[in-house]
Each structure stands twice: as C-alpha cells, then as structure tokens.
Amino acid sequence: MQSQFVDSQAIEIQSAMCNLEPSFMESDNLVVEADSTIEPTRFHTRFEDSMELYTDAHTVAKYLDTHQGWFCRCAHPMAAQPLGENGYSLVIGRFGAFGYEVEPKIGLELLPQDCGVYRIHTIPIPDYVAPGYEVDYKAVMELLEVPTDGLTITRVQWQLDLTVYLRFPKFIYKLPKSAIQNTGDRLLAQIVRQVSRRLTHKVQEDFHTTLGLPLPKKARKKG
C-alpha cells in the first residue's frame, strides 16, 4: 500500500528538521532504528463511520459472521493472514520519513456478534515483537436495519478507538514536543480515514457481488 505518510510528514515538519544533522536527510535509503531507552509517545484518534448494504440485517450478519471468507481478500493490498479461529495478523503498510521507517503489523480478533453488535480488538501475534511501537485497537460495529419503500437497507455503523505508542530515534526528539504530538495525531487520523474508505468500498463491493445484489451507485463512485 502506498502511504501518504512520507509526503505529508516531509511537508509538514521539513522546516523544523532543517536544524538537525544533515546525514539524516541525505539518503532516502537510510533507516534509523527507534531508541528503546526513550519513553514512547502516545498518539490517539477516535473515528466513526458507516456503510449501507442493500438487504436485511439477518443476511448481513450471516456474511459478517463468516469473516474467514471475506476478510483477507477485502483487506488487500494490506497483507492479512489468519491467526487462530477469529483472528488475523495485518500489515498496514510502510510509513516513514527522513531515514526513519516503521511497518505496523498488528493482530486483530473479530469477536462473534452479540445481538447484532460486533467487537474487534488487538491480540498478540505469536513470536512477533513490534519494533518500537504498540497498538491498542478497539472497535464496535452495529447493524441497523432501515426499511424504505420497496427496499430494505442495513446500515453498518462502527466506532474505532485507536491508540499507538511509538518510540522514535533520538534525532526526532530535537523537534518541539507539541509538533511531534500534533503531527502524529493528525497523521494517524488521516491514515485511519484512508484505510477505512478503502476497506468500506471493498466490503460493500464484495458483499453485493457475493450475494448477487446490485451495487449501490454511490458505493461505485468511491473506488
């Protein structure tokens, strides 16, 4: 997945980086490791969104319950692998700037529904230690059936509470703390929005194609 993180971060903090050591900006291929002795910086975002699927809630629930059939293909181009009965390891993409890169990989468990309510949270990935970051992912998803004239629509509504703890290389901490915090929070929110839009479109398309239902026009426009 081609991320906007590199270009956005470069534009937003380039002026603040001008006083740092020149070697950090000379090579795009220079990778600098995070400093494990420094307390991680906490970034956080909350996100709400919804999508419409053109059938009843019972049919939607049956599709969502069998996530083994759709999760990995809808997550593409993110790399997803099954992890236990209801879990997946997911590589979000490669993000970085000025010689520092991170490729977040997280474990997610899709809990069985409880009266139409679905929950997703982070789980450990066996034999994997995240290099310089920790992710706390909590999502709640609900199904709301919306009867209309001659057509039943199920609105899938979700809320995400996402916290990322990230350790940077020492040179990053030469920036003002407020600049690091504000830029990180803003970029985290931007990444979540982008991933959500792509995943929403793919799930809508996969759902309607799998069930042989016509894809809503406004869903087609989001590709």
Side-chain angles (χ1 to χ4, degrees):
M1 178 178 68
Q2 182 64 40
S3 170
Q4 298 296 319
F5 183 89
V6 176
D7 294 336
S8 299
Q9 190 185 52
I11 292 171
E12 292 185 335
I13 68 174
Q14 186 173 10
S15 60
M17 293 289 288
C18 66
N19 294 325
L20 300 184
E21 299 297 330
S23 60
F24 293 127
M25 294 182 284
E26 288 178 351
S27 173
D28 292 335
N29 296 320
L30 177 63
V31 177
V32 181
E33 293 184 356
D35 189 336
S36 60
T37 66
I38 297 177
E39 283 295 312
T41 303
R42 178 184 181 272
F43 302 103
H44 177 259
T45 188
R46 285 190 176 94
F47 182 74
E48 296 183 9
D49 205 353
S50 65
M51 66 178 171
E52 294 182 345
L53 303 177
Y54 280 45
T55 189
D56 59 275
H58 177 71
T59 303
V60 173
K62 287 178 62 178
Y63 172 85
L64 294 178
D65 289 344
T66 55
H67 52 78
Q68 298 87 352
W70 58 264
F71 186 88
C72 288
R73 65 174 176 260
C74 290
H76 182 79
M78 294 182 290
Q81 296 291 334
L83 186 62
E85 183 178 357
N86 294 307
Y88 299 89
S89 65
L90 187 65
V91 179
I92 307 300
R94 184 178 293 276
F95 307 98
F98 301 110
Y100 176 65
E101 292 186 345
V102 61
E103 188 174 38
K105 181 179 181 181
I106 61 175
L108 295 178
E109 183 177 26
L110 284 62
L111 296 175
Q113 67 155 306
D114 181 9
C115 299
V117 178
Y118 295 82
R119 287 179 170 82
I120 306 173
H121 64 183
T122 43
I123 56 175
I125 301 175
D127 303 319
Y128 177 76
V129 178
Y133 66 88
E134 298 175 19
V135 178
D136 184 11
Y137 182 108
K138 297 176 183 176
V140 178
M141 186 168 63
E142 299 183 68
L143 307 184
L144 178 63
E145 193 171 293
V146 185
T148 59
D149 294 336
L151 185 65
T152 299
I153 298 174
T154 298
R155 182 174 297 120
V156 183
Q157 302 178 148
W158 63 87
Q159 299 175 337
L160 169 63
D161 193 304
L162 179 62
T163 302
V164 176
Y165 299 90
L166 188 59
R167 288 183 174 87
F168 294 105
K170 285 184 178 180
F171 75 91
I172 292 291
Y173 293 100
K174 293 185 180 182
L175 291 169
K177 185 176 180 180
S178 60
I180 297 173
Q181 188 70 60
N182 294 336
T183 300
D185 285 339
R186 185 164 57 252
L187 291 174
L188 181 61
Q190 177 185 336
I191 292 166
V192 167
R193 286 195 302 270
Q194 290 175 345
V195 172
S196 177
R197 283 198 299 264
R198 292 182 183 182
L199 188 57
T200 295
H201 173 72
K202 289 199 169 190
V203 171
Q204 283 181 311
E205 188 174 48
D206 186 84
F207 175 83
H208 291 90
T209 300
T210 299
L211 274 68
L213 299 171
L215 186 65
K217 291 182 179 179
K218 58 183 178 181
R220 289 196 188 101
K221 294 179 182 179
K222 291 182 181 181

